[in-house]
Amino acid sequence: MAARGSAASAVGQAYSRAQTLCEQLGDREQRFPILRGVWAHHLVRGALQCARELGEQLLVLTAGATDSMVHAEARFALGGTFFWRGELAASRLHIGQGLPHTRHLDDAAAYMFGQHPEVGCLSYEIMNLLILGYPDQAQQQSHRSLVDSATERGHPLTLAYAHFFEAVFAQLRQEVPNVRTHAQAVIRLAHEQGSPYWLSMGTVLEGWARAVQGDATEGMTQIQHGLQEFRKTGAALALPYFLGLFADTYARKSQGDGLCTPLIEAGLASLAEALACSERTGERIYAAELYRFKGELLSQQARAGGSASSLPPDTCGRIADCFQHALSIARRQQAKLFELRAAVSLTRFWQACETERATVQQKRQAARRDLQQVYDWFTEGWATDPLRQARMVLEALGDDA
């Protein structure tokens, strides 16, 4: 797992053989660690329904167990699986039940499973808090716990794991310098340990940061290379997220280049692959953002052929449907961060349509009300980019929007 990544076919073959031997020997003591390894293999390969079933089997094996590691790993497995499926409430429930069991564990679990369960649970706790709409609490937990805890453990791939989630955390908050810092730490550790899996993911995240910071060509080339290397590991988990980041860089570069059609089409192709992968694997955590990106790129595509005020109704409807679908997914997941972003995009889109048609006026007002409603839900995180963007839109509209 350390050398090739949990999704490697050799890992699956080893654990399959281990399961067979365990059954032949009737070795109940080894059932849990073997099943936990099988779970990780299927999760990282993107078989999320299978991963959920394996996680539930792990939880059954905790009945009557006194070993804290068993309880921690079972809850981590289920909490992690539910996170990637976009079932945030269930994820937070299991992670919350697992964390108390991780506090005083030694490093044996890290060497057995690839990362220490405390750092694993903390990573998902922080991500859940952020996406559910508690960015300040997530930030406090991040500063207090994640990388410091991983550093204390002295296990290199646990530290890579922590830096990776810190990079994703920073990316969702649009804190670009922090993305690059943590991604570079992942890359450095991956080189030191000879881990192509972590190297590929750090490469994608650093490429996104480079592209956003102005080095678009080199950054996008780096993302493409990272994706190629990531696929070689057999992994599929997080691929929709990475492809979404790629589409985001296409959208940003297209906007900067005056709505460049080839860039828009490449971004839409990346999103089509991301959405197909999401449908195939059941990975839904980033689905709302994928549809929001699609709406943004379709809007660029339409404006490249004429002004927003002259868009035909069916084109307007197709673009707005993407934003509405993003809103629906986010609401179903209770993902307030993504709901806020989708509401901002939808409001901006309708405001850009300068036509005075009554139906557009109604949609404009409805979008503004939706944005105000989700913005008013928040009680913290006012300094974060998503909330700043929402506040700027609402202030620009004023009371007469």
Side-chain angles (χ1 to χ4, degrees):
M1 289 190 294
R4 303 188 189 182
S6 293
S9 58
V11 172
Q13 291 164 9
Y15 273 116
S16 177
R17 178 60 176 154
Q19 274 189 303
T20 300
L21 292 171
C22 186
E23 290 167 5
Q24 290 174 353
L25 296 170
D27 189 343
R28 294 180 60 84
E29 186 177 335
Q30 291 297 320
R31 285 183 65 194
F32 187 91
I34 292 170
L35 191 63
R36 199 290 194 181
V38 175
W39 164 80
H41 177 68
H42 285 284
L43 179 81
V44 179
R45 289 183 72 85
L48 291 185
Q49 180 57 38
C50 182
R52 176 179 177 173
E53 293 167 1
L54 290 164
E56 289 169 346
Q57 291 177 40
L58 286 169
L59 192 59
V60 169
L61 292 179
T62 66
T66 58
D67 186 348
S68 289
M69 186 177 75
V70 168
H71 290 278
E73 289 289 351
R75 294 296 181 178
F76 167 71
L78 273 173
T81 302
F82 280 123
F83 173 81
W84 291 105
R85 286 167 60 95
E87 299 176 54
L88 296 172
S91 175
R92 195 174 181 204
L93 174 67
H94 285 288
I95 293 300
Q97 292 176 339
L99 266 171
H101 293 285
T102 69
R103 302 300 187 193
H104 305 293
L105 292 176
D106 61 24
D107 292 343
Y111 288 96
M112 184 179 293
F113 300 127
Q115 71 278 325
H116 194 279
E118 181 182 27
V119 174
C121 285
L122 284 170
S123 298
Y124 285 119
E125 174 72 357
I126 290 164
M127 297 299 295
N128 281 325
L129 283 169
L130 174 63
I131 297 172
L132 286 167
Y134 305 99
D136 287 351
Q137 293 179 51
Q139 187 76 56
Q140 291 164 9
Q141 185 81 290
S142 171
H143 285 325
R144 185 170 62 245
S145 303
L146 195 52
V147 172
D148 286 347
S149 177
T151 302
E152 289 172 6
R153 298 294 173 187
H155 180 251
L157 294 185
T158 291
L159 188 56
Y161 186 98
H163 278 296
F164 169 75
F165 270 95
E166 284 283 20
V168 175
F169 178 73
Q171 190 279 318
L172 292 177
R173 291 170 61 99
Q174 299 293 295
E175 297 169 347
V176 182
N178 287 341
V179 176
R180 195 162 188 181
T181 296
H182 288 292
Q184 288 173 342
V186 175
I187 291 170
R188 182 180 65 254
L189 286 160
H191 275 304
E192 290 172 359
Q193 299 300 314
S195 174
Y197 174 68
W198 289 111
L199 179 60
S200 66
M201 296 196 294
T203 299
V204 171
L205 285 164
E206 193 200 15
W208 178 85
R210 289 182 68 178
V212 174
Q213 287 179 324
D215 192 358
T217 301
E218 289 300 318
M220 293 169 76
T221 299
Q222 189 171 341
I223 294 173
Q224 189 170 38
H225 175 69
L227 286 170
Q228 290 172 348
E229 296 304 306
F230 179 77
R231 290 186 175 98
K232 290 179 183 178
T233 69
L237 189 71
L239 182 58
Y241 169 64
F242 292 147
L243 289 167
L245 295 186
F246 206 13
D248 181 37
T249 60
Y250 277 117
R252 290 171 187 262
K253 183 164 173 54
S254 166
Q255 189 72 39
D257 290 356
L259 304 180
C260 175
T261 298
L263 289 171
I264 294 168
E265 291 174 350
L268 288 169
S270 183
L271 286 176
E273 184 182 355
L275 289 166
C277 180
S278 178
E279 187 65 28
R280 183 174 67 253
T281 64
E283 183 182 321
R284 300 278 189 268
I285 186 58
Y286 207 57
E289 284 287 88
L290 295 178
Y291 278 102
R292 185 178 70 84
F293 287 146
K294 184 175 181 180
E296 296 286 3
L297 281 163
L298 288 175
S299 179
Q300 285 190 13
Q301 188 178 60
R303 286 185 285 120
S307 67
S309 59
S310 64
L311 296 181
D314 59 333
T315 301
C316 285
R318 189 159 63 102
I319 295 167
D321 283 347
C322 289
F323 295 134
Q324 288 287 2
H325 196 38
L327 275 169
S328 296
I329 293 170
R331 287 168 179 162
R332 188 163 60 248
Q333 296 178 348
Q334 302 175 49
K336 289 295 182 180
L337 175 70
F338 297 152
E339 182 182 353
L340 183 70
R341 285 184 171 164
V344 166
S345 290
L346 182 60
T347 302
R348 282 175 169 162
F349 170 70
W350 284 123
Q351 290 302 317
C353 293
E354 298 171 2
T355 179
E356 296 301 316
R357 291 198 304 267
T359 54
V360 172
Q361 290 287 350
Q362 292 168 3
K363 292 179 184 299
R364 187 179 295 164
Q365 292 167 4
R368 200 267 189 209
R369 286 194 301 271
D370 285 345
L371 175 56
Q372 185 72 62
Q373 184 176 24
V374 67
Y375 180 80
D376 288 344
W377 178 91
F378 281 83
T379 58
E380 60 180 76
W382 308 115
T384 59
D385 182 76
L387 282 154
R388 285 200 305 266
Q389 293 293 325
R391 184 167 60 251
M392 288 169 56
V393 171
L394 288 170
E395 288 174 353
L397 295 175
D399 296 330
D400 299 326

